[in-house]
Amino acid sequence: CYVMKWTKVVLILLIMCCFPIGISAQISVLNGDANLLAGTLTGTSPCIIPTNTVVKGYNDTSINKSFGIFNKNTGSSFPFDSGVILSTRPSKITEDNTIPIGPTVKLSDSDLNKALGINYDTYNLTFLEFEFEAKTKILSFNYLLASDEYKNNLTYNPCDKPNYADGVAILIKEVDSPTSNYENLAVIENDKKEKITVSSFNIRPDFFMSGVKKCDGKNSNYFDPAFNSNTIHFAGQTKTLVARKTDLIPGKKYKIKFVIAEGDSPAEFSALFIEAGSFTSAIDLGKDRLISDKTAICSGETFEINTNLSIAGFNFKWYKDTDTSPIPGEIYPSLQITQAGTYKVEAIG
């Protein structure tokens, strides 16, 4: 059975008083159906079991699908070893940019449009969605956006035409609630601490044409300056981004939808890469407690760390420091501690 592990550093003062190198294309892309794609993301974890899986996109032949499974070849500088690719053109372009790119198809998605505030045409839509029952409050995974819109010889002005940028959204909502609306997890925080959507318009370096700056960079700290276009045959990509939701309700069913589409300028295409195995749930044990007068406790007092999970769903084992044997008798979702140390819990479902 898969074991979920969480580590919690708890340091308490116990006192006796009252205180890369550039290479050729080096990823391989394989075809896969919706179940395979969803399973690649979630792995064998009992915490996230995908159901009602659906994938849709460009599917001209058995080879030229806009979705698939990717694996990093030996020596590649790509940041993910494997995962799922959703592209606005055939996904195999990432390993061989000589294959036909296929037709441009006008296709909109109401969920994507609402999440991004889109009121213009989109093209070459691809999406993957599935449902799962939340076992914990926290969900997170790693992803990045790669795009040919990062070319230096752009024929449009990205400074004032955001509708030209390809759109991507990672949407999640509660399934059985009629009032639940999708929340977009594909967002970054700008220098004003505002949450904005991920796109080549919102994440970009300085653009130049014939040696002259055409457009200033925007949130360029999220852009990967070390990107090598030969790796996946795109002109640029973001750094690894983390999608995270911290207020899931255990026992509730959720739908998640990964969707990408080209904007008003479908000449350049993009792809969403989601890292395999990074799609995980987690337990929040609260903030670390460090040694200070405020966190000191008296001898005989205790401090509780809590998984906030139901005892009915898991078997619990607690560990202290480097001990390989669990703390005897501690089989419950919470732990009362009286000694400084690093504590770890395993919830076995």
Side-chain angles (χ1 to χ4, degrees):
C1 183
Y2 181 84
V3 178
M4 299 181 294
K5 297 182 179 180
W6 296 270
T7 300
K8 172 68 182 177
V9 177
V10 183
L11 299 177
I12 295 179
L13 182 61
L14 182 65
I15 55 180
M16 300 303 292
C17 66
C18 292
F19 285 100
I21 299 176
I23 56 173
S24 300
Q26 289 295 323
I27 70 169
S28 301
V29 178
L30 305 173
N31 292 326
D33 60 14
N35 289 331
L36 179 59
L37 268 61
T40 297
L41 297 184
T42 60
T44 59
S45 170
C47 287
I48 304 175
I49 302 175
T51 59
N52 298 326
T53 59
V54 177
V55 66
K56 183 177 181 179
Y58 181 73
N59 191 11
D60 184 41
T61 69
S62 61
I63 297 177
N64 291 345
K65 297 179 184 292
S66 61
F67 48 87
I69 307 297
F70 71 86
N71 292 283
K72 181 171 72 173
N73 295 339
T74 302
S76 172
S77 60
F78 195 67
F80 302 153
D81 289 334
S82 61
V84 168
I85 175 175
L86 304 176
S87 177
T88 60
R89 296 298 170 102
S91 58
K92 277 190 171 290
I93 286 180
T94 57
E95 68 174 47
D96 179 5
N97 61 355
T98 65
I99 68 172
I101 64 173
T104 297
V105 180
K106 184 184 295 185
L107 185 62
S108 294
D109 180 85
S110 59
D111 298 326
L112 175 67
N113 294 355
K114 185 175 181 180
L116 302 185
I118 288 176
N119 57 4
Y120 49 84
D121 292 332
T122 57
Y123 301 82
N124 297 345
L125 175 80
T126 298
F127 73 83
L128 168 68
E129 68 178 25
F130 57 86
E131 297 176 2
F132 67 95
E133 180 183 323
K135 301 295 185 181
T136 67
K137 296 172 61 177
I138 300 174
L139 173 72
S140 69
F141 51 91
N142 302 329
Y143 71 100
L144 63 83
L145 173 68
S147 179
D148 252 7
E149 293 181 323
Y150 287 117
K151 287 180 179 178
N152 289 341
N153 62 343
L154 293 173
T155 58
Y156 61 88
N157 187 339
C159 296
D160 58 8
K161 294 184 178 179
N163 56 305
Y164 277 18
D166 294 350
V168 60
I170 300 172
L171 307 172
I172 189 168
K173 71 175 181 178
E174 190 178 332
V175 173
D176 298 323
S177 172
T179 60
S180 178
N181 296 313
Y182 274 121
E183 175 187 355
N184 185 14
L185 303 183
V187 294
I188 57 170
E189 191 175 84
N190 63 15
D191 55 5
K192 297 179 181 179
K193 304 301 181 182
E194 300 167 328
K195 289 186 176 181
I196 59 176
T197 57
V198 171
S199 71
S200 62
F201 177 83
N202 286 334
I203 301 175
R204 66 187 189 222
D206 291 338
F207 279 139
F208 292 86
M209 179 175 289
S210 301
V212 178
K213 183 185 285 190
K214 181 181 178 183
C215 182
D216 289 331
K218 189 175 182 181
N219 302 302
S220 56
N221 55 307
Y222 293 100
F223 181 77
D224 187 356
F227 175 77
N228 185 324
S229 61
N230 289 331
T231 305
I232 54 172
H233 297 301
F234 282 96
Q237 71 182 42
T238 68
K239 293 179 180 179
T240 297
L241 306 175
V242 179
R244 185 174 174 87
K245 186 170 176 62
T246 61
D247 57 353
L248 297 177
I249 302 174
K252 296 289 186 180
K253 183 180 289 187
Y254 291 85
K255 175 183 285 188
I256 190 162
K257 182 175 185 178
F258 305 84
V259 57
I260 188 169
E262 294 184 31
D264 252 356
S265 177
E268 292 85 22
F269 42 93
S270 301
L272 174 65
F273 293 83
I274 312 113
E275 184 179 17
S278 69
F279 196 99
T280 59
S281 58
I283 295 174
D284 184 3
L285 296 180
K287 295 181 179 180
D288 294 344
R289 291 175 63 91
L290 303 178
I291 294 176
S292 71
D293 290 340
K294 292 183 179 179
T295 59
I297 63 172
C298 297
S299 177
E301 291 185 344
T302 62
F303 173 71
E304 180 184 80
I305 48 179
N306 200 325
T307 65
N308 295 306
L309 293 177
S310 169
I311 191 173
F314 298 93
N315 294 319
F316 296 91
K317 294 181 180 180
W318 291 89
Y319 298 84
K320 181 179 181 294
D321 298 328
T322 59
D323 293 344
T324 57
S325 297
I327 301 173
E330 298 296 347
I331 58 173
Y332 300 100
S334 62
L335 178 69
Q336 302 290 332
I337 61 174
T338 59
Q339 295 179 332
T342 300
Y343 291 82
K344 178 178 69 175
V345 61
E346 293 180 357
I348 307 171

